Amino acid sequence: MLAVDIEQIRKYNVPGPRYTSYPAANHFKPGFSESTVVERLRADRTSDRDLSLYFHVPFCQSLCWYCGCNTVITKNQAQSAVYLKYLEKEMRLMWHLVNPRRRVTQLHFGGGTPTFLLPDEIRGLGELVRAQFELDPELEASVEIDPRRLTYAHLEALRDAGVNRVSLGVQDFNPQVQQAVNRVQPFEQTKEVVEWVRAAGFQSLSIDLIYGLPYQTEETFRETLEQTLSLDPDRLALFSYAHVPWMKPSQRLLKPETMPPTEEKFAILKLGVETLTHAGYAYIGMDHFAKRGNELEVAQREGKLQRNFQGYSTKAGADILSFGVSSISQTRDMYWQNEKDLSRYYAGLDEDRLPVANGYVLKGEDHIRREVIMRLMCDMKLDFEDMSKRLGFDFAEHFPDELGAIELLAGDGLVRFRPGGFEVTDVGRLLIRNVAMCFDEYAGAATEGVYSRTI
């Protein structure tokens, strides 16, 4: 069981990036040229690197007040058919820019609520993907699902579209908490969906929980954990609620006096981590847990884990092509993000251009630090000789100040030095964002009001 040191969590609970990219997305340049994306993709068209595809479906029928995602709240079902036509157009534009023989090893549908789409629309999207891209026989294809408005027909359609992994949004099973965040989802409803998922033959089930929500206490969250474990998911995510009302005004609907005090939130985290690891789940890092022997846990042990905008992934070395409003793509030397506003996203495609809103071209030092932070976030250790081979120079000589900062963390028990490197301790795993910040060239810039806190 992984033990949680609340004193160290209190000390290091500061704003910091989540490192789904490096540099973090707040460094992307507004007005980034669509022509830059096109030119660089054409120049790299002979690449045979694997691909990971992401499709963002922004629609939700109701607003969850804690949500930090890019969403469009609507009950107008006709919007989904319109959106799919634009996704098809975006895919066709992209197809002309990349090597059509590149293998797609990973596919993810996120939102919003992907199952806002009708079952036949889901099948149609799957057919479009197969028509445009070469899918690997061992494709890992996942979808985020809101159980509240799901039908079994949706699951059959997802399976027909090639999806083999399901992630269920739960957040909390306590009725008072659910009411306070405008997401009423009884346990029995989620249990029924879990039974459907297994009956439909999906390979993996993941459940998402959030701590730090209104009215949560250790006692209420213990019950949520017990109910969640009774569903026997293959993976779990235990996210910290990020209160960013300057970015998501809807979060102002949450009453401050109902939020758990900082000490209570830390206690809930401690309870969650210790309960899940005691129940046999490995703590992968950055909120994610997996059963021992699960592909995610095996990939971490074998040094094959990767981190990207969808979280942790078993598919290392793939470029990410993302489609839909607000989605972010990643290649070896560039990030770009689509327009966040639906009308501007449509307008760009109406002009037969990729709807690029911002982006970033990595410079030399960015590549170096991205590799270091990626391996640290995924492997929970750094081997200096291995990193020197990867980077082509002496690692310790290149990062004397950074390793000095790591020594300070070692004094607080977050890392442990060993011959030729260091490894992250149990408490350091919980604070891995803080450890990674030691190698972040931009970490000295103002972070308050830009990033969520690390816990």
Side-chain angles (χ1 to χ4, degrees):
M1 182 180 77
L2 191 154
V4 177
D5 186 334
I6 288 182
E7 289 302 316
Q8 294 293 41
I9 288 175
R10 183 185 297 110
K11 177 177 179 178
Y12 284 98
N13 185 36
V14 298
R18 297 186 65 82
Y19 293 115
T20 49
S21 70
Y22 181 84
N26 61 295
H27 292 285
F28 293 2
K29 309 298 184 184
F32 191 76
S33 171
E34 184 252 2
S35 63
T36 300
V37 175
V38 171
E39 289 169 8
R40 286 179 174 270
L41 287 177
R42 282 177 174 161
D44 198 37
R45 201 167 190 271
T46 58
S47 171
D48 60 357
R49 283 164 58 88
D50 290 344
L51 290 175
S52 173
L53 305 182
Y54 173 71
F55 291 85
H56 188 78
V57 182
F59 305 111
C60 294
Q61 291 191 16
S62 62
L63 177 65
C64 301
W65 293 343
Y66 59 82
C67 183
C69 301
N70 184 280
T71 59
V72 175
I73 308 304
T74 181
K75 295 185 183 298
N76 180 7
Q77 186 63 58
Q79 289 215 40
S80 58
V82 174
Y83 191 72
L84 283 174
K85 290 185 181 299
Y86 281 95
L87 282 181
E88 180 178 7
K89 187 166 189 176
E90 188 180 4
M91 272 191 279
R92 292 191 186 283
L93 288 173
M94 186 63 70
W95 186 85
H96 292 288
L97 300 174
V98 299
N99 182 350
R101 293 184 295 277
R102 294 178 71 175
R103 182 181 59 169
V104 175
T105 59
Q106 188 176 47
L107 175 65
H108 186 79
F109 299 102
T113 306
T115 48
F116 180 92
L117 302 179
L118 298 172
D120 283 346
E121 291 174 333
I122 292 171
R123 287 189 180 89
L125 180 55
E127 290 170 2
L128 286 172
V129 173
R130 285 193 293 272
Q132 297 292 323
F133 296 97
E134 185 71 31
L135 303 187
D136 188 273
E138 301 299 320
L139 176 72
E140 180 182 287
S142 58
V143 63
E144 300 169 9
I145 284 179
D146 179 347
R148 293 175 296 166
R149 297 177 181 88
L150 186 79
T151 67
Y152 193 77
H154 281 101
L155 290 176
E156 291 178 316
L158 286 165
R159 187 187 57 203
D160 292 345
V163 173
N164 49 37
R165 288 167 171 78
V166 168
S167 176
L168 297 183
V170 169
Q171 324 323 341
D172 194 297
F173 283 121
N174 182 270
Q176 186 180 25
V177 176
Q178 292 183 354
Q179 192 70 42
V181 300
N182 197 41
R183 186 188 175 101
V184 176
Q185 181 180 321
F187 172 74
E188 291 303 323
Q189 183 179 46
T190 303
K191 182 180 178 182
E192 181 180 39
V193 170
V194 169
E195 292 169 352
W196 289 352
V197 168
R198 294 204 164 104
F202 289 90
Q203 294 177 13
S204 178
L205 170 69
S206 178
I207 289 179
D208 294 347
L209 302 176
I210 295 179
Y211 67 97
L213 295 176
Y215 297 110
Q216 283 181 335
T217 66
E218 276 189 88
E219 182 179 353
T220 65
F221 204 70
R222 180 177 285 108
E223 185 175 356
T224 285
L225 288 168
E226 291 171 356
Q227 291 172 300
T228 301
L229 288 172
S230 75
L231 301 175
D232 193 31
D234 302 288
R235 300 179 187 178
L236 277 153
L238 182 60
F239 296 112
S240 170
Y241 166 62
H243 192 61
V244 287
W246 58 89
M247 295 175 59
K248 291 294 175 180
S250 61
Q251 292 184 348
R252 295 177 185 139
L253 295 168
L254 301 180
K255 299 177 181 178
E257 65 271 18
T258 67
M259 310 288 282
T262 300
E263 293 301 310
E264 183 79 18
K265 184 177 180 180
F266 291 166
I268 294 171
L269 170 62
K270 177 180 174 68
L271 170 70
V273 172
E274 293 181 353
T275 298
L276 295 177
T277 53
H278 180 73
Y281 289 85
Y283 182 56
I284 303 300
M286 277 300 297
D287 321 311
H288 287 71
F289 300 78
K291 284 184 176 179
R292 300 200 180 273
N294 181 271
E295 302 99 316
L296 208 62
E297 189 265 339
V298 172
Q300 185 172 59
R301 278 193 282 113
E302 294 180 350
K304 298 178 180 178
L305 200 63
Q306 181 172 338
R307 184 163 174 78
N308 58 37
F309 292 102
Q310 283 74 61
Y312 283 107
S313 163
T314 60
K315 305 295 184 181
D319 289 342
I320 303 170
L321 297 183
S322 296
F323 303 90
V325 63
S326 79
S327 63
I328 302 176
S329 299
Q330 172 184 336
T331 62
R332 285 178 294 186
D333 64 350
M334 176 176 57
Y335 301 103
W336 71 93
Q337 182 174 29
N338 281 347
E339 293 283 1
K340 296 181 181 180
D341 178 79
L342 190 61
S343 62
R344 289 200 297 270
Y345 170 75
Y346 287 163
L349 290 167
D350 283 338
E351 296 172 1
D352 292 319
R353 61 176 177 82
L354 296 177
V356 177
N358 57 54
Y360 188 92
V361 175
L362 280 75
K363 60 180 187 290
E365 188 68 15
D366 292 330
H367 285 278
I368 293 167
R369 292 174 184 269
R370 179 170 70 175
E371 179 67 15
V372 173
I373 290 173
M374 172 69 74
R375 297 290 18 113
L376 185 54
M377 298 287 290
C378 292
D379 302 339
M380 299 292 156
K381 62 183 179 181
L382 286 180
D383 180 279
F384 297 164
E385 183 177 353
D386 175 65
M387 293 307 300
S388 296
K389 289 179 180 177
R390 288 174 181 265
L391 301 173
F393 53 75
D394 188 281
F395 178 83
E397 287 184 4
H398 190 80
F399 291 113
D401 294 339
E402 290 79 1
L403 291 177
I406 292 292
E407 287 182 4
L408 296 177
L409 299 187
D412 279 343
L414 275 63
V415 302
R416 182 184 304 112
F417 276 93
R418 53 179 175 73
F422 66 86
E423 59 189 7
V424 180
T425 63
D426 283 354
V427 69
R429 281 177 175 256
L430 292 169
L431 296 163
I432 189 61
R433 291 163 72 181
N434 302 76
V435 181
M437 284 167 68
C438 293
F439 294 94
D440 187 340
E441 188 176 23
Y442 310 102
T447 57
E448 197 71 49
V450 176
Y451 302 119
S452 62
R453 290 185 175 268
T454 52
I455 295 295

